[in-house]
Amino acid sequence: MAEPGTGEAGMDFKTLKALKPSEFENAADGYRAMGNMASAAKEHIDNQIAVGMRNSLKGEALEAAQRQLRQLSQNFHYTQVECGLISTALNGFAFDVDAAKKKLDAALEDAGSHKFTVNSDGSVSYPAAGKESDGKKPEGGKADGVTDPTASAVDRQAANFDPNPNFKIAQGIANRIAHALEEATEADEKWAPKLRALKADDDLIVSGRDWVDVKSDTGGVNKAAKDYLDLIKDPPKHGTPKENASWWKGLSEEQRAEYITLHPDSVGRMDGLPAAVRSEANQLVLAETRGAAQGQLNDWLKKEPKHYEPYLNPMTGTTMENVQVPTEEWKRWDAKRKEIQGRIDGMDAIQRRFDTYTGEDTRPYLLGIDNKNRGHAIVSIGNPDTADNVATYVPGTFAKLSSVDGDIRRAQLLQTQAQIADPAHSTASVLWLGYDAPQSIMGEASDTKYADHARQPLNDFLTGIDTAHGGHVNSTLVGHSYGSLVAGETMRDHPDVPVDNAIAVGSPGMGVKHADDLNIPRDHMWAATAKNDLINLAPPKAGFLAPLNPMEYVRLFDDHTIVHGTDPTTDDFGGQTFKVADGKAPGSDGLMPAHSQYWEGKSLKHMAEIVTGGRP
């Protein structure tokens, strides 16, 4: 082999003897430093240069400059990640080959102590020794190392009969040298293709395909570096936020960087870790996930079936001339296309927050992202680790990754209004779409299973925010529609969840009969439902789908129960209420326009007052 890491023909004796694992570790440090510089450059571009331009410039020149800065930021981000992978790969190779190098050095030391000569091919020459015969000692010779177990056994038998005792010793040393060379060759052959794979395209554009390659590279390095990475203490299995935070604090800076590089998805969803750390990891996950989705869409577009077919008149059974309709196969294909595109649009909406924010108080933090099931995203406007107030908004029915733009906008509106309500204190506003929300009103929204699956993750998230925060944070949990059931169940079943205030708007019930069941003071539980919100017509669960006559509706509503418990806006519930506008009439702008109008006007103002510790 010409050079370490080429994977050519195997590691020879001369190369391994001269090899210094520390040189690869030093190279790894160099790449890590380069990655850190790229990270710092990205941070400077995103949080100072781009923000400064957005605050001082307008028009086409600004848009052109911003596009170039976004691309440059992507380049630095890609450089940061790839340098991290190269650093880990070099450290992994140094770790693997160091064991072989130590075995070789020990064998050479033993050979020297016996005054044997180790030849350039790794064989061991030994001098004459043993009982004299005819005035001569048994001649010296050369032992060639073997690693095959059968050959080793034959050599041991031969050594037992050889009159020169040096042969047995030399053979053992030669075998140790052969084993060291074999281990070094295995390390070289394992790492050479991994390092060769960490080669970027020769262009200045970081594409979706590049990010998909990053994910593939990460998997390859992660698998190959298992022994080296085992030196890093694994995070606690199903750890609490406090346990996660303790584990993270126990890692060195280098170990943290390597863990983010190789396990961004794990770090990104680990409650209890600093928001900046999770966001850094999740921005990598976002880039990789979006790249994979774009690749999926590109592949799907190539499968477009026949679009139109002649229209068959169902009355006559004949085709109508010059009338074409979409084929059923094309409709199914197009539905899938729209679904994939919708998820990409949702991820782009998240990225836009990073590309357009104008100040540290509105800086976005990506605390969760994946494209599984209906897609999930957790986005904070403002840093929840340092804010005085944190509002966590849980959306309801129809929420999913493809429609996340509107839900992030609600979080932004609340954060902006909270800063107006209390400019002396900072507020972070979080969209928590960390669950699969129901996607139909009459069917899925009447089932508690979606909330049942969400209450533990929401509890862990809220506890994680409290754990990562430097001191006490005034925490408000905001549930809209079905999201209020998620909030209610979480507070009901986790008495220690760190929530100071709760808000339910457009609620079908919070899974409890009384505000006292939510484990916070009843005067910190607030609810409102607009007059024109059709959620007011929701019957108790027992009659949710049953046809009822007017008198039955009166009987069912007499105890103020609705789909998921007592209506939180009623006196029977025992909490507080605040005034909201009537909202648009049903059908004036969609079926239920008033159900989506809580983030405007006096409703938004009152929610901001609650979030900042006041009373509406």
Side-chain angles (χ1 to χ4, degrees), residues 321-453:
E321 189 175 351
N322 298 325
V323 178
Q324 299 280 310
V325 294
T327 64
E328 292 301 316
E329 184 181 9
W330 185 89
K331 289 179 182 178
R332 290 190 294 269
W333 173 87
D334 193 48
K336 180 69 173 179
R337 179 193 64 80
K338 289 178 179 177
E339 179 190 352
I340 300 172
Q341 183 63 60
R343 291 170 184 253
I344 292 174
D345 292 343
M347 288 183 268
D348 288 345
I350 295 171
Q351 183 59 47
R352 268 198 305 277
R353 268 61 189 189
F354 290 92
D355 296 339
T356 58
Y357 78 95
T358 56
E360 194 60 32
D361 57 338
T362 58
R363 179 176 176 175
Y365 291 82
L366 184 56
L367 305 181
I369 179 68
D370 69 59
N371 196 17
K372 300 174 183 176
N373 300 327
R374 290 165 180 173
H376 311 106
I378 305 172
V379 181
S380 178
I381 306 301
N383 190 341
D385 293 353
T386 58
D388 299 304
N389 311 299
V390 175
T392 303
Y393 156 55
V394 184
T397 305
F398 301 121
K400 54 186 176 181
L401 181 59
S402 59
S403 59
V404 75
D405 188 35
D407 287 317
I408 299 176
R409 182 174 176 274
R410 289 176 176 177
Q412 286 179 307
L413 289 169
L414 184 56
Q415 194 272 345
T416 300
Q417 190 63 44
Q419 292 294 96
I420 295 173
D422 185 8
H425 297 90
S426 59
T427 297
S429 182
V430 182
L431 159 68
W432 189 84
L433 179 54
Y435 80 114
D436 286 323
Q439 298 298 303
S440 64
I441 297 174
M442 298 303 293
E444 293 185 354
S446 65
D447 196 328
T448 65
K449 68 179 181 182
Y450 304 96
D452 298 342
H453 293 153

Side-chain angles (χ1 to χ4, degrees), residues 114-372:
H114 287 89
K115 300 187 180 338
F116 295 168
T117 299
V118 178
N119 304 307
S120 61
D121 61 354
S123 63
V124 179
S125 295
Y126 55 92
K131 291 182 179 182
E132 292 186 1
S133 175
D134 296 331
K136 293 183 179 180
K137 291 182 179 181
E139 293 183 356
K142 185 179 74 169
D144 294 309
V146 295
T147 58
D148 179 74
T150 302
S152 295
V154 171
D155 282 345
R156 283 194 298 272
Q157 290 295 325
N160 290 332
F161 293 101
D162 195 292
N164 188 335
N166 281 335
F167 172 61
K168 184 175 183 179
I169 300 171
Q171 186 64 59
I173 294 173
N175 288 350
R176 289 160 60 193
I177 292 173
H179 277 290
L181 292 173
E182 184 177 67
E183 288 184 19
T185 296
E186 289 175 355
D188 185 66
E189 291 176 345
K190 177 173 75 171
W191 282 109
K194 305 302 180 189
L195 287 165
R196 280 197 296 267
L198 298 174
K199 182 178 180 182
D201 292 336
D202 188 16
D203 58 40
L204 295 176
I205 303 298
V206 179
S207 65
R209 185 184 65 183
D210 289 327
W211 285 115
V212 173
D213 287 343
V214 165
K215 189 172 182 64
S216 176
D217 292 342
T218 301
V221 172
N222 197 8
K223 184 177 180 180
K226 182 181 183 304
D227 291 339
Y228 165 66
L229 294 174
D230 281 346
L231 297 175
I232 302 177
K233 182 182 178 182
D234 287 333
K237 190 175 183 179
H238 307 303
T240 64
K242 186 176 181 180
E243 291 170 338
N244 294 339
S246 177
W247 167 78
W248 184 256
K249 290 176 182 177
L251 299 181
S252 67
E253 287 298 324
E254 181 177 343
Q255 289 173 329
R256 291 177 182 177
E258 287 185 335
Y259 214 87
I260 289 176
T261 298
L262 293 175
H263 302 283
D265 52 344
S266 296
V267 173
R269 63 172 176 263
M270 205 173 292
D271 295 310
L273 268 57
V277 170
R278 295 180 67 177
S279 188
E280 178 186 351
N282 281 318
Q283 286 180 71
L284 174 54
V285 175
L286 174 63
E288 293 176 349
T289 304
R290 199 221 181 269
Q294 185 64 58
Q296 182 186 12
L297 178 61
N298 293 341
D299 291 341
W300 190 249
L301 292 175
K302 296 175 184 176
K303 301 177 182 179
E304 182 175 6
K306 180 181 178 182
H307 193 162
Y308 293 105
E309 62 183 359
Y311 175 68
L312 183 66
N313 190 322
M315 303 296 293
T316 64
T318 60
T319 59
M320 298 183 65
E321 189 175 351
N322 298 325
V323 178
Q324 299 280 310
V325 294
T327 64
E328 292 301 316
E329 184 181 9
W330 185 89
K331 289 179 182 178
R332 290 190 294 269
W333 173 87
D334 193 48
K336 180 69 173 179
R337 179 193 64 80
K338 289 178 179 177
E339 179 190 352
I340 300 172
Q341 183 63 60
R343 291 170 184 253
I344 292 174
D345 292 343
M347 288 183 268
D348 288 345
I350 295 171
Q351 183 59 47
R352 268 198 305 277
R353 268 61 189 189
F354 290 92
D355 296 339
T356 58
Y357 78 95
T358 56
E360 194 60 32
D361 57 338
T362 58
R363 179 176 176 175
Y365 291 82
L366 184 56
L367 305 181
I369 179 68
D370 69 59
N371 196 17
K372 300 174 183 176

